[in-house]
Amino acid sequence: MPIQGEIHRSTYYDSVALMLAQREARDQPGVEDVGVVMATDANKEILRAGGLEFPGLAGARADDLAIVARAASEEEARAAAAFAMQVLTRRRVSTAGDAYRPKTVASAARALPEATIVLISVPGRFAHSVAREALDAGLHVLLFSDNVPIEHEIALKARGREQGLLMMGPDCGTAIIGGAALGFANQVRAGRIGLVGAAGTGLQEVASLIHRLGGGITHAIGTGGRDLSSAVGGVTMLAGLRALELDPGTEVIVLVSKPPAPEVAGRILAAAAACGKPVVAAFVGATVEPTGQVQGATTLEEAAIRAVQLACGTEAALPPMRSLPEQEAGRLSTDQRYLRGLYSGGTLCYEALVLLRPHLGAIYSNSPADPSEALEPVTRSREHTVIDMGGDEFTQGRLHPMLDPTLRLARLRQEAADPETAIVLLDVVLGYAAHPDPAGALAPVIREVREQASREGRHLIVAGSVCGTDDDPQNAGAQRAVLVEAGVLVEESNARAVHLARLIATRQGKREVRSMRKVVAAAAATTAWPEVGRVSALLGARPAVINVGLDLFAESLQAQGVPVVSVDWQPPAGGKQHLLDLLDKLEG
Amino acid sequence: MDINAANQEAMGRVLTAQPVLVGVGRALDLIPGMSLDLILHAGPPITWERMSGPLRGAIIGGLILEGRAGTEAEATALVERGGVRFEPCHHHAAVGPMAGVTTASMPVYVIENRAAGNRAYSNFNEGYGKVLRYGAYSEDVLARLRWINGTLAPAVGDALQRAGGLDMKAMIAQQLTMGDEGHNRNRAGSAIFGRLLAPHLARGGLSPEVLEQVLRYFADNDLAVLNPVMAACKATMDAAHGIAGSTVVTCMARNGTDFGIRVSGLGDRWFTALATVPVGLYFPGFSAADANPDIGDSTITETAGIGAFAMAAAPAIVKFVGGTPAEAAAATLEMYEITVGENPAFGLPPLDFRGTPTGIDIRKVVRTGITPRVNTGIAHRMPGIGQVGAGLVRPPMACFEQALEAMADLAT
């Protein structure tokens, strides 16, 4: 097939802009595959591996833009490449307008003097200096970027603590501050429950379920996935906990995380016990010893239910499970023995793993609960497999599955074609910045693969849940209806979808294993509270945001009516490392 | 080495500078180190072999004006046998627009910085059309220079004496509120200049014919004040030069071949790279193919925080930056990204009188990838043809990268 490739010298676009252009160009007539990438060595390798090598690629440099298309005809390939460039430049123009776009946090702060938070989503190696500039300017930070070295995280959080500022992240995907959804977050009713979470989709699930149960939240503070590691020590969770303790609107606090380092969990739980407000700790995969007003929750759903009960004083419950597992399982053929989970939300995937393992035995995964269950290669499922499609293995040079369903759809076809697959488990994550219609993208493929299986004499079960609220731009109710229409067994929460899948799978063969649940308990001594006066000020008002990185986040804030200024960010010193080293030396 | 403290010191000296136009005199008598065999030129040092057309033409004209050669051939021969020394104006506390050629007998403006006590010098502006600063040296060009030398300069010097000097800082502040940015547009400033001098010229005992010629010079030449403005900027930035550790740019200049900068904490070193051709609008009949690479010391205005840095103030020339006042404001806003501070003495009306972005920090330039903006005239690449357009240019990033490397070497 003809390939058309071009190199644009010294032309930088951020990876999401590139991937959006790639996605759109791929839909052009006759196109088989498209690459729109910065010509880094890693990306050049990806293009080669994908059969998208072209003359000139080898000589391109990391700050050059490479566009390549393979299509049925040369004309179509050329048109697709030109279209990709158009998409890139069109995005630029539409955001530039007449007004000046500041190039640094400092000048953005001047343009939006009421700004309180800087939302940073630049590539990880550049994130530290932007976050540092923000903290030095007295601004709170939500650092979305991942691949930030842990020593940078430690230094930034120390600086934040020193300044009394909230340093959310790195790798913090979700926060809701004063009703404003930052990053990937949902439109959740205002209420009396405050959340602090080290797990993005964990926060989204708990917040959405609180909304579903009739409750509401004050704030959802993100900490970043590594906050509760020994090295980082829970600095941000402690600050968030303290701020929610002092927040007059918050009556109940929920902590959400994957299992923390035991000593960090001890410190956090001791602080929680001392805080004077009821606290629900959902450390998915670990059991929390109750202490004083602190209680544990085994699932994200349970955390939401307990929090709503504490806040409203009434019994809260989701409607009973709709499906009949026995009946579903009875329709499976004898070869259909395995469960295949295809997740877009990392915490939801992890919750599935820890809920399934005690009943189904080994669950293979790219983010396994036990190293012996690592899936190798990640492209081929094995027995019971649950995959985090948002893991690094699947997002190199691609958009996250919450934005681009392409890879998950391909994997869905692959699993559906496997005669051993009994049930496919899915999540659909809604909210600001997520795909505008994820259920709509999944439904036709689900319908198609179930019909195909049925022609082959198999009954393929697809179960899942929708993480989001009816107030989200995508509308959770409508998304559920689309999935139900496509034949998906839709449950009210991830825990329930997992439960249903588990009941069906165990009917096909039980292999119970004794899995040791981690138990965490409050430490004897309490840690001194950090100073959070400025965090309280942040929580006391609707935020105004400086966005550095993905335009997507600025657009979602605009849609919510949150004042936002976008920094027209470019890699510092053109990304030249030796100059960056000199600058570090001269800026101290 | 505390760079930020050093830069604050540099900024302090810029902000407190008090450039006053105190008088006029002969280059040989006033400019330090000036001599009969020396010709000063714009930009960083350059050899005859590498000089562009307009600079060579201006030097030939200068040698004929000085009586050291009668023809182009004689002038070239004199240069080629080593009879002429060339040095940058900037090495002698002087500046000159375009070719910047200043010879021993030429009259110069004297600016005194009353805060720091230093002085700076600039030649006289010749007006438009065929002029020496664009490399023209025909008889009419030389006749005009002789008139400036013999008639205009003494009259202006005399008037300045009687006026007790002219506060350039106040003058620049005024012109910025009247539609000038002080580099490409000096119409308002030149009008103020002429107005302030007029009563003193009237009492200079000049014949009505001579007085008319002198007043007509101010009436016709929208660039009359450019040269004293440049010298005022030079006096200001020289005061900020030589502060150990400072990363503030104290000089940007072009010789038609190279663009060069100097940095406060890096002594007398130039950091140069090949000058580029400005992007601009051309007079009818000319195009970019006719343009010489960037030339002139007038970038001292941007170095001091006016010119393109004050673009927001000059709606009349927004065509150079895209056509709308919003784009002019954006041009100035961009410069705040690379400067240490703002000069409250130069408030910009369209930006709610925010001070002009002042004190280019090489670290900020390298980090942001934003090079300073420069408004400039464009010279024809052949000597003697003159100005062919005006537009916008940016210095090569390499100048700033080299300076950053040099600063890092010092810091170790």
Side-chain angles (χ1 to χ4, degrees):
Chain A
M1 266 191 177
I3 289 179
Q4 170 71 26
E6 50 198 56
I7 297 293
H8 299 261
R9 298 270 169 227
S10 298
T11 304
Y12 171 81
Y13 289 97
D14 70 60
S15 59
V16 168
L18 292 168
M19 290 184 282
L20 289 169
Q22 187 169 293
R23 185 176 83 184
E24 289 193 42
R26 209 173 266 149
D27 292 339
Q28 291 296 294
V31 172
E32 193 193 67
D33 203 0
V34 174
V36 184
V37 294
M38 298 309 294
T40 60
D41 288 342
N43 285 335
K44 287 198 271 190
E45 203 39 59
I46 290 171
L47 291 184
R48 273 185 210 110
L52 290 171
E53 169 106 62
F54 63 94
L57 179 65
R61 295 186 319 250
D63 50 357
D64 296 337
L65 168 67
I67 299 182
V68 53
R70 187 172 62 224
S73 73
E74 206 161 298
E75 245 157 80
E76 284 165 324
R78 197 172 302 125
F83 179 77
M85 193 66 205
Q86 250 173 42
V87 173
L88 285 173
T89 45
R90 176 189 75 204
R91 288 185 69 81
R92 272 294 150 108
V93 172
S94 70
T95 49
D98 239 5
Y100 177 70
R101 286 192 75 193
K103 308 292 191 294
T104 57
V105 170
S107 64
R110 171 120 198 170
L112 185 66
E114 67 268 35
T116 45
I117 300 184
V118 184
L119 200 170
I120 302 165
S121 52
V122 302
R125 63 183 272 242
F126 304 120
H128 174 258
S129 64
V130 182
R132 178 66 201 235
E133 190 190 353
L135 292 172
D136 287 349
L139 296 161
H140 303 278
V141 171
L142 190 157
L143 182 50
F144 178 86
S145 316
D146 56 6
N147 298 316
V148 175
I150 194 151
E151 57 276 15
H152 285 176
E153 174 166 1
I154 292 168
L156 288 170
K157 286 187 170 172
R159 180 73 181 147
R161 190 187 163 109
E162 209 174 279
Q163 296 261 79
L165 294 166
L166 201 50
M167 177 65 220
M168 298 185 276
D171 199 14
C172 174
T174 300
I176 304 172
I177 304 290
L182 302 160
F184 294 109
N186 306 87
Q187 183 68 50
V188 179
R189 188 182 303 114
R192 297 194 285 268
I193 303 167
L195 289 71
V196 192
T201 43
L203 271 182
Q204 287 192 269
E205 175 83 345
V206 175
S208 297
L209 288 172
I210 288 171
H211 179 99
R212 181 95 174 135
L213 290 160
I217 69 162
T218 49
H219 311 280
I221 296 169
T223 68
R226 289 188 306 218
D227 190 60
L228 300 183
S229 64
S230 303
V232 181
V235 176
T236 303
M237 187 165 278
L238 210 58
L241 182 58
R242 175 63 168 168
L244 291 178
E245 183 207 355
L246 298 176
D247 175 34
T250 300
E251 291 171 15
V252 177
I253 297 169
V254 182
L255 306 178
V256 185
S257 172
K258 292 181 184 176
E263 78 278 11
V264 179
R267 270 207 300 278
I268 298 288
L269 291 171
C275 92
K277 288 183 182 175
V279 175
V280 180
F283 294 158
V284 177
T287 303
V288 174
E289 294 260 343
T291 342
Q293 289 203 86
V294 180
Q295 50 180 297
T298 313
T299 62
L300 299 168
E301 177 192 325
E302 190 189 334
I305 290 174
R306 285 176 180 251
V308 172
Q309 277 171 357
L310 286 165
C312 308
T314 54
E315 283 291 303
L318 294 170
M321 204 151 78
R322 270 180 270 215
S323 319
L324 298 170
E326 294 290 319
Q327 188 186 321
E328 286 290 331
R331 299 171 66 185
L332 294 169
S333 73
T334 46
D335 286 345
Q336 288 184 279
R337 281 174 296 167
Y338 296 122
L339 176 153
R340 300 286 155 80
L342 302 178
Y343 274 91
S344 62
T347 318
L348 301 178
C349 176
Y350 194 79
E351 185 179 46
L353 285 173
V354 300
L355 293 177
L356 291 169
R357 281 181 85 240
H359 304 280
L360 296 179
I363 310 282
Y364 294 92
S365 177
N366 58 331
S367 61
D370 184 282
S372 67
E373 295 165 20
L375 183 66
E376 293 276 356
V378 293
T379 47
R380 281 247 303 282
S381 296
R382 173 179 173 196
E383 301 176 12
H384 294 306
T385 293
V386 174
I387 302 172
D388 175 9
M389 300 291 299
D392 293 343
E393 305 85 348
F394 299 100
T395 51
Q396 286 291 335
R398 285 185 177 273
L399 283 177
H400 194 277
M402 272 155 60
L403 287 169
D404 181 359
T406 315
L407 214 53
R408 187 154 74 143
L409 292 174
R411 187 66 178 239
L412 173 60
R413 286 199 171 90
Q414 183 184 327
E415 302 300 343
D418 182 345
E420 292 191 332
T421 301
I423 175 164
V424 175
L425 186 55
L426 299 166
D427 64 346
V428 169
V429 181
L430 310 181
Y432 291 103
H435 190 284
D437 181 16
L442 281 165
V445 179
I446 291 170
R447 204 172 283 122
E448 168 201 320
V449 298
R450 291 190 75 236
E451 281 164 10
Q452 176 64 27
S454 146
R455 279 195 292 276
E456 293 166 8
R458 289 179 289 125
H459 174 67
L460 181 68
I461 304 168
V462 181
S465 66
V466 173
C467 172
T469 73
D470 290 351
D471 294 342
D472 276 330
Q474 303 90 343
N475 187 332
Q479 291 281 302
R480 282 192 195 96
V482 168
L483 292 174
V484 168
E485 181 69 22
V488 180
L489 308 179
V490 180
E491 288 300 329
E492 293 294 331
S493 72
N494 181 53
R496 282 171 187 238
V498 173
H499 184 63
L500 170 66
R502 190 256 285 181
L503 289 176
I504 295 168
T506 45
R507 267 286 310 268
Q508 294 297 91
K510 229 172 147 163
R511 267 195 324 177
E512 225 161 297
V513 291
R514 205 193 304 276
S515 72
M516 294 268 289
R517 265 187 85 79
K518 281 188 196 169
V519 178
V520 290
T526 54
T527 318
W529 288 117
E531 170 54 46
V532 294
R534 296 165 91 171
V535 183
S536 296
L538 168 71
L539 301 186
R542 191 160 167 84
V545 180
I546 293 170
N547 184 55
V548 191
L550 308 179
D551 285 340
L552 180 74
F553 293 142
E555 286 158 16
S556 110
L557 287 165
Q558 257 158 11
Q560 297 173 62
V562 176
V564 58
V565 159
S566 273
V567 170
D568 181 13
W569 185 85
Q570 296 287 317
K576 293 175 191 159
Q577 194 56 50
H578 82 281
L579 292 173
L580 285 169
D581 293 343
L582 296 183
L583 283 167
D584 282 346
K585 190 167 146 189
L586 293 175
E587 283 168 3
Chain B
M1 178 161 65
D2 186 342
I3 292 178
N4 291 334
N7 286 348
Q8 285 311 316
E9 170 68 22
M11 270 305 282
R13 296 196 198 172
V14 172
L15 300 187
T16 56
Q18 281 183 286
V20 176
L21 175 57
V22 291
V24 169
R26 198 166 64 133
L28 184 65
D29 303 333
L30 294 173
I31 292 181
M34 194 66 202
S35 64
L36 289 169
D37 66 337
L38 180 63
I39 288 186
L40 303 183
H41 61 79
I46 187 168
T47 57
W48 174 258
E49 288 70 34
R50 295 187 67 244
M51 283 180 192
S52 64
L55 181 50
R56 283 188 175 201
I59 284 169
I60 291 164
L63 289 170
I64 297 172
L65 184 74
E66 292 295 320
R68 299 192 62 205
T71 63
E72 177 196 343
E74 283 176 32
T76 307
L78 178 64
V79 168
E80 283 172 354
R81 66 170 183 269
V84 185
R85 292 191 300 124
F86 303 116
E87 284 180 17
C89 295
H90 272 290
H91 290 189
H92 296 268
V95 280
M98 301 317 283
V101 161
T102 305
T103 58
S105 69
M106 281 185 186
V108 291
Y109 290 107
V110 184
I111 298 280
E112 187 175 291
N113 177 359
R114 290 198 169 147
N118 62 308
R119 288 185 160 202
Y121 309 88
S122 177
N123 56 7
F124 272 63
N125 195 285
E126 306 156 78
Y128 298 99
K130 281 170 72 180
V131 285
L132 187 79
R133 67 178 189 279
Y134 282 98
Y137 51 85
S138 52
E139 189 39 50
D140 47 339
V141 172
L142 299 175
R144 174 97 172 146
L145 287 169
R146 289 188 193 104
W147 173 79
I148 289 173
N149 199 344
T151 306
L152 177 68
V156 170
D158 194 40
L160 279 170
Q161 283 292 314
R162 264 192 299 282
L166 204 154
D167 182 337
M168 290 303 293
K169 195 171 192 172
M171 215 271 328
I172 293 169
Q174 282 184 66
Q175 71 174 139
L176 293 182
T177 66
M178 297 167 70
D180 285 353
E181 37 71 279
H183 186 172
N184 266 19
R185 190 178 201 270
N186 276 293
R187 174 175 288 212
S190 295
I192 299 169
F193 191 28
R195 192 179 78 161
L196 290 174
L197 289 179
H200 303 289
L201 287 168
R203 292 191 50 186
L206 304 169
S207 72
E209 292 72 23
V210 169
L211 181 61
E212 189 211 335
Q213 285 171 8
V214 170
L215 289 175
R216 187 165 296 285
Y217 170 85
F218 288 102
D220 289 349
N221 187 0
D222 286 343
L223 294 173
V225 86
L226 171 64
N227 302 40
V229 164
M230 285 170 55
C233 292
K234 173 66 175 165
T236 300
M237 296 318 292
D238 272 359
H241 191 75
I243 298 166
S246 172
T247 53
V248 168
V249 175
T250 48
C251 157
M252 298 195 289
R254 315 88 95 199
N255 57 32
T257 303
D258 302 313
F259 199 117
I261 68 167
R262 291 167 121 182
V263 174
S264 177
L266 290 172
D268 291 338
R269 282 183 67 183
W270 287 91
F271 301 92
T272 65
L274 286 181
T276 53
V277 172
V279 176
L281 304 172
Y282 287 85
F283 298 159
F286 296 103
S287 74
D290 302 308
N292 198 70
D294 200 15
I295 185 167
D297 283 335
S298 52
T299 27
I300 194 67
T301 55
E302 280 84 11
T303 315
I306 60 171
F309 282 46
M311 191 63 206
I317 56 169
V318 295
K319 281 281 179 273
F320 292 126
V321 292
T324 68
E327 283 163 312
T332 291
L333 289 172
E334 187 187 42
M335 294 299 99
Y336 289 109
E337 310 275 15
I338 57 168
T339 45
V340 175
E342 301 171 9
N343 190 345
F346 300 151
L348 297 168
L351 300 180
D352 292 334
F353 291 93
R354 186 175 178 186
T356 51
T358 304
I360 302 161
D361 183 343
I362 55 168
R363 297 175 305 170
K364 293 187 174 188
V365 172
V366 173
R367 176 170 284 284
T368 60
I370 300 169
T371 43
R373 288 168 172 269
V374 170
N375 288 346
T376 189
I378 303 174
H380 199 285
R381 60 192 168 78
M382 303 301 290
I385 296 177
Q387 186 174 4
V388 294
L392 178 72
V393 75
R394 296 197 192 234
M397 181 57 93
C399 300
F400 299 89
E401 292 180 354
Q402 290 164 28
L404 189 81
E405 283 164 3
M407 188 56 81
D409 285 345
L410 276 187
T412 43

